[in-house]
Amino acid sequence: MSLAYAPSPHKSKAENLGAFMRQVVWAAVPGAVALFWAFGWGVVFQVWMCCFTAIATEALVLALRRRPIRPALTDCTALVTGVLLGLALPPYAPWWCAVFGSGFAILFGKQVYGGMGFNPFNPAMLGYVLLLVSFPVQMTIWATPLDLVQRPMGLWDGLSLVWLGETTNHETLVSLHSGIDAWTSASPLDHVKTQLGQGYSLSEALDTPIARGFSGFSWEWVNLAFGLGGLYLCVRKIADWRIPAGMLAALFVLASGFSLTDSDRYTGPIFQLFNGATMLGAFFIATDPVTAATTPRGRWLFGIGIGVLVYVIRTFGGYPDGMAFAVLLMNLAAPTLDYLTIPTAYGHGEEP
Amino acid sequence: MSPAAPTPNLGYGGISRLWTMPGGVHPPEQKDQSNSTPIQSLPLPRRLYIPMDQHAGAPALPVVSAGERVLKGQLIGRDATGRGGNVHASTSGTVQAITEHTLCHPSGLTGTSVILEPDGEECWFAHAGIPDYLAAAPEALLERVREAGIVGLGGAGFPTAAKLAQGNALHTLILNGAECEPYISCDDRLMRERAAEVVEGGRILMRILGVERCLIGVEDNKPEAIEALWTALRASGEERMHLATLPTRYPSGGQKQLIYILTGQEVPSGKRSSTIGVLMHNVMTAAAVYRAVARGEPLVSRIVTVTGAGIGLPGNYEVLLGTPMADLLNASNAHGFHKLIVGGPMMGFTLRDAKTPVTKIANCLLAPTMAELPPPPNAKPCIRCGLCVDACPAKLLPQQLFWFARAGEDHKAVKHHLFDCIECGACAYVCPSDIPLVSYYRVAKDRIRAEREAKRQAEHARRRFEAREARLAREAAEKAERLKRATEARRAELAANPEAQAAIAAALARSQAAEPAAVEPVAAPPEAAADPAAARKAEIAAAIARAKARKTQGAVPAETSDSHKDEPAP
Ligand code: SF4
Ligand code: SF4
């Protein structure tokens, strides 16, 4: 009789890495649907292109490194990177933005460090920042919410705009801004920032169709949907609740504080919480476990740090949204946070 | 989790609340496979293989020889150290041989074993209990426990008498009936069927220790056991013992964990629980203590849970120590299992050989099918998800320990409290990347222990060397001192004796006249003798000049190597 040798424990929970990561993708579906509903087909194109490029790059690099490809692909981490970057990109950014960004994310955000689990920076955010710095124009032109335009952009116009750089009647991304259909516009965060910079008061800045609703037309729904998916992740313990809690709390406190001191210059907490990439960032991006802090207290600090940085960059910095920079900066701080917050182990409490 | 709510059973006094164990997991309990039938006995095996090593500490020394007839309960292995355990014949019969046989040990080691052929009569040696044990002298009770070869029956196998004789001031005895490992139900059945023995054993232990408080911790997934204990407690009228129902959560039965849950105190790292006045024994150990003391029966059998999908008739069996596992498998209709685990799925170890005998530490024989406990999938990279942190009952950072252990950064692992890891496996259980975390910790611990041992030995050698050097130096100094004193004494003698002085002077004058040249080279240069400091200066100057000369020659390597030629090889 041959008996198998095995070290304990002999039992493990059924959940595996692929299932774990697929949950992240599923949880992003409500937010993605809300984005699609708000901004049209562009969202689908971006996500699709990013996923395709991310997975293809991963497979290619692994083949070159002569590593097994299948396990790395079935763990779905490249897919998650693709989805998150795709959701973060402006819906009608040209196709090469998505390809360049996600290829870079996988290659230089992940594989150069030795692959999954070894990367210090969130790959999707690394790709995003590269694009933002290299192509600021394309990266800051958002789509106008479909409800605000007379003739919403259809599938063909969207496809043509993304792949050929112009719509079927030869409008480009930039010219669309002022065109009759005004299919593109700044995001509410961007708009308010520009207006405030030009000396308008906050109430004047907010007096625009795209900033309607409690935090900007359509954006509130997008953020609510991401928040919902994020809560699911927290309940399933796939994302650690401390990170979004810390981040949102910090953002809330700072935004409240500043808007209380001068409500005509600083946007309020609701506007901040339900705008831009707040919820996507809080629940899906900041919680990327590989690059976040890992100790319980470290995660609080990590989340709070991101919240503070996001607010500071949005309010005082040069970019409309600060999520990507904030996450990357805190990624840098994560090892230190871990080191400083080693929990007190059993038996080390009150030294006798 | 919120602080656990007091349960109805706490009303018996003594425990006002329970504390919540940090971390922990709740794997499928699987206890109903084996806990619904009463404890059964096995047919007498054809042969018993009784190891001398069934416990922590040094193996016992055989005191019988081949061919000898022994009675059930007769001493066959004596603990010579006082820190191990006696071994007794599990039944009456003939000693066939004393030889090496597989031990019930994670590494499949072999050890001296008495091979006993039962005669089928189950004939006990003469023994008698201490009827009035609650009035007997604690020393006499302790001696009984020692003689009976009782060791911790929860799986650790620490000799009970040695544990009882630690000599720290204690205030609380804890009886561990948590049985938190999945599948295992031997303590459950024991408490259901022999609750009075557990309670009486607890009273004896209290008497030995001189403590006035005993807490019994049982997980709430064993309501029948709790009920039975409850009844036994009431029947005994014992008011110093208190029953606590714990939430079912692995590893609440870990010694440190249960102490915390019941008392809110943590055992300081690296210390014994007795430093905080608490001692813990398994409920089955308590029952064995009762039998040893009240009936005079040494430990010759134990209850073993035989379970898993590969077992046709799972249940609990009263098994004579030394019974081959194969006999248990036969009796329980085993088939289709792919491994054999002694203990539970979380901390148990696999057997390589079904001939391995049941020993005092074997609380469960788990024979799972492939589908039931499949081999773990390949490990994937750690994604630092932190699920292991949330699961760790020792409040460690398993993922950091893993990084350090794998990278060989042992000092960092130690700084992150590697040695406070109790190897419960909760972290590996939840890890979505299927990393065999505990194996990494074991390897790292072994490596660090080996290193410490090597360092200790090196340190020892260094100390010895230094001591020797110091001794030699001291002896040399003493010798020189003696010589100096002798010389001085002689000088003084001479000074006091003008005749001798004159004789020496005359002799000197003679020798100078005869060989004036011979004296010259022996004498040191006059100025050097006069001024040692100046001589030293001159020497240094010369050395510097030599060094300068070498430098100007270009410090030819050939020269240096030449200069080493004459030196003995190191
Ligand atoms: S559970 Fe596994 S993958 Fe998650 S942090 Fe711990 S070791 Fe890493
Ligand atoms: S095996 Fe060690 S590190 Fe893992 S959960 Fe148990 S005590 Fe913590």
Side-chain angles (χ1 to χ4, degrees):
Chain A
M1 180 168 38
S2 92
L3 292 171
Y5 164 77
S8 69
H10 308 278
K11 171 116 188 93
S12 80
K13 229 173 173 177
E15 194 108 55
N16 67 36
L17 191 53
F20 200 83
M21 287 296 164
R22 278 191 292 275
Q23 297 279 335
V24 178
V25 176
W26 286 122
V29 166
V33 169
L35 273 175
F36 170 65
W37 173 74
F39 302 109
W41 287 100
V43 178
V44 180
F45 305 150
Q46 300 295 343
V47 172
W48 189 85
M49 283 185 301
C50 284
C51 289
F52 179 82
T53 316
I55 293 174
T57 313
E58 177 114 320
L60 191 72
V61 175
L62 288 171
L64 290 177
R65 287 176 63 198
R66 294 177 205 283
R67 292 289 170 86
I69 298 178
R70 182 179 276 274
L73 291 190
T74 47
D75 73 23
C76 292
T77 48
L79 178 70
V80 168
T81 300
V83 168
L84 295 182
L85 183 57
L87 292 174
L89 290 180
Y92 296 99
W95 62 272
W96 40 265
C97 272
V99 169
F100 186 48
S102 46
F104 182 86
I106 295 294
L107 192 60
F108 289 96
K110 180 172 163 189
Q111 289 294 346
V112 289
Y113 297 104
M116 215 265 292
F118 296 93
N119 47 310
F121 296 108
N122 184 315
M125 288 303 101
L126 213 58
Y128 185 90
V129 160
L130 175 82
L131 294 176
L132 188 60
V133 174
S134 318
F135 311 109
V137 177
Q138 286 85 346
M139 287 294 288
T140 47
I141 296 183
W142 263 89
T144 314
L146 299 181
D147 286 1
L148 292 185
V149 282
Q150 302 240 306
R151 188 177 65 87
M153 176 153 51
L155 177 61
W156 294 115
D157 275 323
L159 258 183
S160 162
L161 186 57
V162 169
W163 285 97
L164 305 173
E166 51 183 36
T167 59
T168 42
N169 50 0
H170 309 295
E171 293 269 22
T172 65
L173 202 55
V174 179
S175 70
L176 275 172
H177 241 322
S178 45
I180 32 161
D181 287 331
W183 278 342
T184 64
S185 59
S187 69
L189 277 173
D190 197 359
H191 174 81
V192 167
K193 187 177 195 89
T194 319
Q195 297 269 300
L196 286 176
Q198 289 166 359
Y200 292 98
S201 75
L202 183 60
S203 43
E204 286 164 332
L206 286 176
D207 186 22
T208 160
I210 58 164
R212 276 198 338 238
F214 61 79
S215 72
F217 201 85
S218 301
W219 282 101
E220 56 207 24
W221 295 109
V222 169
N223 273 284
L224 277 174
F226 277 123
L228 208 67
L231 285 181
Y232 167 79
L233 285 184
C234 291
V235 170
R236 289 291 321 272
K237 298 206 172 174
I238 285 165
D240 192 284
W241 63 278
R242 299 174 187 96
I243 297 173
M247 183 196 139
L248 297 177
L251 196 54
F252 180 86
V253 168
L254 279 181
S256 312
F258 276 95
S259 90
L260 281 179
T261 55
D262 188 348
S263 62
D264 221 34
R265 281 204 24 229
Y266 299 106
T267 51
I270 300 299
F271 185 84
Q272 288 285 341
L273 286 183
F274 292 94
N275 232 314
T278 306
M279 293 295 172
L280 176 67
F283 288 99
F284 291 84
I285 292 168
T287 53
D288 165 32
V290 174
T291 54
T294 65
T295 66
R297 276 186 303 147
R299 286 181 164 176
W300 274 114
L301 295 177
F302 182 81
I304 292 172
I306 292 178
V308 170
L309 286 172
V310 164
Y311 186 80
V312 168
I313 296 171
R314 278 181 181 177
T315 313
F316 308 106
Y319 289 93
D321 203 345
M323 187 57 68
F325 290 108
V327 168
L328 292 181
L329 282 172
M330 289 314 289
N331 286 164
L332 210 57
T336 314
L337 290 179
D338 280 347
Y339 182 78
L340 294 177
T341 55
I342 302 175
T344 313
Y346 181 106
H348 292 267
E350 314 98 49
E351 300 288 345
Chain B
M1 272 207 289
S2 61
T7 54
N9 283 327
L10 293 175
Y12 206 60
I15 315 171
S16 53
R17 61 165 288 199
L18 296 178
W19 278 261
T20 303
M21 170 179 76
V25 291
H26 192 167
E29 294 171 22
Q30 301 287 356
K31 301 211 185 232
D32 46 4
Q33 284 193 30
S34 59
N35 69 0
S36 50
T37 47
I39 301 168
Q40 308 159 54
S41 52
L42 277 186
L44 208 54
R46 260 179 5 93
R47 205 160 274 144
L48 293 168
Y49 301 82
I50 309 174
M52 293 293 107
D53 184 356
Q54 306 195 29
H55 47 258
L61 302 175
V63 293
V64 287
S65 41
E68 198 173 324
R69 186 180 140 75
V70 293
L71 294 175
K72 180 166 182 155
Q74 181 181 332
L75 186 74
I76 58 172
R78 182 183 297 284
D79 161 38
T81 60
R83 306 203 54 78
N86 287 340
V87 179
H88 303 82
S90 312
T91 183
S92 57
T94 313
V95 175
Q96 287 217 313
I98 295 172
T99 169
E100 288 280 305
H101 189 79
T102 316
L103 297 176
C104 190
H105 187 274
S107 314
L109 301 178
T110 61
T112 311
S113 307
V114 169
I115 301 182
L116 182 64
E117 188 165 88
D119 58 14
E121 288 169 22
E122 287 275 86
C123 179
W124 272 95
F125 84 127
H127 61 285
I130 305 176
D132 194 11
Y133 48 81
L134 288 184
E139 296 74 28
L141 299 176
L142 180 61
E143 195 44 40
R144 266 299 157 90
V145 173
R146 190 190 308 282
E147 279 168 8
I150 296 174
V151 307
L153 296 179
F158 195 84
T160 304
K163 197 165 163 180
L164 290 171
Q166 271 174 41
N168 274 323
L170 300 176
H171 52 75
T172 302
L173 166 71
I174 294 178
L175 293 187
N176 185 349
E179 199 165 53
C180 58
E181 269 253 13
Y183 286 92
I184 309 180
S185 63
C186 55
D187 288 346
D188 183 9
R189 286 310 315 188
L190 172 90
M191 291 185 284
R192 291 195 208 187
E193 297 178 35
R194 305 180 193 166
E197 293 185 20
V198 174
V199 169
E200 293 307 302
R203 295 171 97 181
I204 296 171
L205 290 169
M206 285 171 79
R207 179 144 183 93
I208 294 177
L209 295 169
V211 300
E212 287 303 312
R213 187 163 91 129
C214 172
L215 311 176
I216 311 176
V218 184
E219 277 191 349
D220 59 11
N221 59 356
K222 295 181 258 299
E224 295 90 347
I226 291 165
E227 193 55 46
L229 278 176
W230 193 228
T231 312
L233 270 179
R234 252 188 316 235
S236 74
E238 178 58 80
E239 297 203 335
R240 302 167 302 165
M241 289 175 101
H242 314 288
L243 183 59
T245 310
L246 326 167
T248 299
R249 195 157 178 81
Y250 177 85
S252 69
Q255 156 157 298
K256 295 177 170 183
Q257 282 62 41
L258 187 52
I259 290 179
Y260 179 75
I261 293 170
L262 292 179
T263 69
Q265 281 182 286
E266 291 185 0
V267 180
S269 172
K271 299 263 168 53
R272 296 212 175 110
S273 70
S274 55
T275 51
I276 55 166
V278 180
L279 210 59
M280 178 179 293
H281 289 281
N282 186 264
V283 284
M284 199 179 287
T285 314
V289 164
Y290 166 76
R291 290 198 170 190
V293 169
R295 303 192 194 160
E297 291 175 13
L299 187 62
V300 291
S301 66
R302 67 156 298 146
I303 305 169
V304 183
T305 303
V306 184
T307 186
I311 300 286
L313 299 168
N316 285 283
Y317 294 84
E318 176 96 43
V319 185
L320 297 181
L321 299 177
T323 304
M325 300 286 181
D327 284 43
L328 268 177
L329 295 172
N330 279 339
S332 60
N333 237 342
H335 54 83
F337 54 89
H338 78 116
K339 54 183 165 190
L340 283 180
I341 299 169
V342 170
M346 299 300 285
M347 290 184 82
F349 57 88
T350 48
L351 288 181
R352 293 162 203 212
D353 191 343
K355 290 199 303 262
T356 309
V358 168
T359 62
K360 297 174 185 176
I361 63 160
N363 52 355
C364 176
L365 178 63
L366 176 56
T369 56
M370 192 63 109
E372 189 180 18
L373 292 182
N378 286 338
K380 289 162 281 294
C382 168
I383 55 166
R384 299 162 65 79
C385 63
L387 290 179
C388 50
V389 180
D390 294 338
C392 179
K395 294 188 280 179
L396 306 179
L397 295 173
Q399 83 283 36
Q400 305 290 74
L401 289 177
F402 160 64
W403 280 78
F404 300 142
R406 189 181 50 173
E409 295 182 84
D410 290 342
H411 63 286
K412 285 196 191 160
V414 170
K415 190 161 183 294
H416 281 71
H417 313 304
L418 176 64
F419 281 93
D420 289 295
C421 164
I422 58 168
E423 300 182 15
C424 67
C427 50
Y429 174 75
V430 296
C431 176
S433 291
D434 300 304
I435 304 172
L437 294 164
V438 185
S439 302
Y440 278 97
Y441 306 152
R442 286 199 192 105
V443 169
K445 282 183 187 174
D446 285 349
R447 184 174 58 221
I448 295 168
R449 283 201 195 102
E451 234 160 61
R452 282 182 182 166
E453 180 57 19
K455 212 184 249 167
R456 204 185 57 75
Q457 276 176 9
E459 175 68 18
H460 190 65
R462 189 181 65 79
R463 287 246 185 87
R464 261 208 336 241
F465 175 75
E466 282 177 2
R468 183 169 172 272
E469 291 284 284
R471 181 171 52 81
L472 290 180
R474 199 180 56 237
E475 281 172 7
E478 278 169 11
K479 203 167 157 190
E481 180 68 12
R482 269 203 308 277
L483 208 66
K484 202 170 123 204
R485 267 207 299 272
T487 320
E488 269 164 15
R490 246 201 328 273
R491 281 226 182 97
E493 218 175 281
L494 277 180
N497 187 345
E499 256 176 52
Q501 248 174 336
I504 290 173
L508 266 179
R510 263 201 312 281
S511 70
Q512 259 170 11
E515 322 170 56
V519 181
E520 272 287 304
V522 177
E527 72 277 33
D531 184 358
R536 182 95 195 104
K537 256 187 211 150
E539 235 171 73
I540 291 170
I544 291 172
R546 271 201 304 280
K548 275 193 183 145
R550 260 209 299 282
K551 218 177 208 169
T552 49
Q553 280 171 18
V556 196
E559 192 204 349
T560 26
S561 62
D562 267 349
S563 67
H564 284 280
K565 253 184 190 159
D566 303 343
E567 287 175 16

